[in-house]
Amino acid sequence: GAGVSQSPSNKVTEKGKDVELRCDPISGHTALYWYRQSLGQGLEFLIYFQGNSAPDKSGLPSDRFSAERTGGSVSTLTIQRTQQEDSAVYLCASSFSVGQGYDEQFFGPGTRLTVL
Amino acid sequence: AQSVTQLDSQVPVFEEAPVELRCNYSSSVSVYLFWYVQYPNQGLQLLLKYLSGSTLVESINGFEAEFNKSQTSFHLRKPSVHISDTAEYFCAVSERGSYIPTFGRGTSLIVHP
């Protein structure tokens, strides 16, 4: 079956514009994560969805960032009024997880966001 | 709170030489440990993981890692590297019962011919 897919692969936008990044997880995976990967930095956790539970938004860096997951499948990460410091690779991962912490995460190829 | 330290940001080695990528973590509870690899222009993929049992775990492509509880380490080793091993390697830790792993900053392994 298909892996995790993300679109677009690259996004260049102007400062102040809004952007939407999409993630299609592996079918049947109940857990979905968004991370941000900046140059020279590790993966920064942003948000976690598990089934129909309320998402864990504790990693979102500001209220300009939001995410939703429709029907327990596709997820969209929205960044409003983008700033240059938002430039990074945004990674999505999914897992067949029930919150035990031992499940392998399957990552998408990422969306490279460049804010001019 | 847990944290993960990868001591080397970059490790250059020659082909067929041995390599060790270091990972230390801090946590007050039991943990699960992972190594992920990111090849150029690709997403991260699991290389190996420690959940319980034998402290030495191996991957299908010759890497191994050993969980050392007293030193809170999970170093990754390979006795003889190939050019194709050139990639970014990330160590990750999940506390038991938690659903959000903590990743290290990554180590770039550069294998020279």
Side-chain angles (χ1 to χ4, degrees):
Chain A
V4 178
S5 61
Q6 292 186 246
S7 60
S9 55
N10 280 285
K11 177 71 176 179
V12 180
T13 190
E14 294 180 347
K15 177 181 174 181
K17 300 285 189 182
D18 297 352
V19 295
E20 283 190 353
L21 312 180
R22 177 187 168 106
C23 172
D24 271 285
I26 292 173
S27 177
H29 280 190
T30 58
L32 187 147
Y33 302 76
W34 282 99
Y35 296 92
R36 181 167 66 178
Q37 183 181 20
S38 303
L39 189 63
Q41 304 295 316
L43 273 67
E44 176 188 4
F45 165 74
L46 298 177
I47 189 168
Y48 164 77
F49 295 90
Q50 173 58 47
N52 295 319
S53 303
D56 183 329
K57 305 178 182 180
S58 60
L60 295 179
S62 77
D63 58 8
R64 296 186 295 104
F65 288 72
S66 64
E68 62 178 21
R69 188 179 184 190
T70 55
S73 181
V74 173
S75 177
T76 302
L77 177 69
T78 301
I79 308 174
Q80 296 178 311
R81 305 181 303 281
T82 52
Q83 304 295 312
Q84 288 182 333
E85 60 262 29
D86 298 334
S87 296
V89 176
Y90 290 83
L91 296 172
C92 174
S94 69
S95 70
F96 186 68
S97 170
V98 291
Q100 298 300 314
Y102 51 69
D103 293 280
E104 172 185 358
Q105 292 192 15
F106 292 81
F107 284 82
T111 293
R112 181 175 298 278
L113 175 66
T114 303
V115 182
L116 302 177
Chain B
Q2 63 196 32
S3 66
V4 180
T5 303
Q6 291 185 243
L7 298 168
D8 305 298
S9 60
Q10 202 172 82
V11 174
V13 293
F14 287 107
E15 194 173 20
E16 298 183 5
V19 71
E20 178 180 81
L21 307 183
R22 295 178 291 171
C23 174
N24 288 85
Y25 68 93
S26 65
S27 175
S28 58
V29 301
S30 296
V31 295
Y32 304 114
L33 300 160
F34 307 82
W35 276 99
Y36 285 84
V37 59
Q38 185 178 31
Y39 296 106
N41 301 313
Q42 295 185 28
L44 279 76
Q45 55 188 280
L46 182 71
L47 185 61
L48 46 76
K49 62 182 177 182
Y50 169 79
L51 302 183
S52 65
S54 173
T55 58
L56 184 66
V57 291
E58 299 178 348
S59 72
I60 58 173
N61 58 351
F63 282 94
E64 64 178 31
E66 186 162 19
F67 169 50
N68 188 317
K69 187 175 182 179
S70 63
Q71 297 187 1
T72 59
S73 67
F74 191 55
H75 301 332
L76 182 70
R77 302 184 182 95
K78 189 171 185 179
S80 176
V81 295
H82 301 287
I83 296 287
S84 59
D85 293 324
T86 294
E88 192 83 13
Y89 291 79
F90 293 91
C91 181
V93 175
S94 286
E95 293 184 337
R96 297 200 175 199
S98 170
Y99 43 76
I100 301 173
T102 299
F103 285 81
R105 292 193 169 193
T107 297
S108 178
L109 175 62
I110 303 170
V111 181
H112 297 288

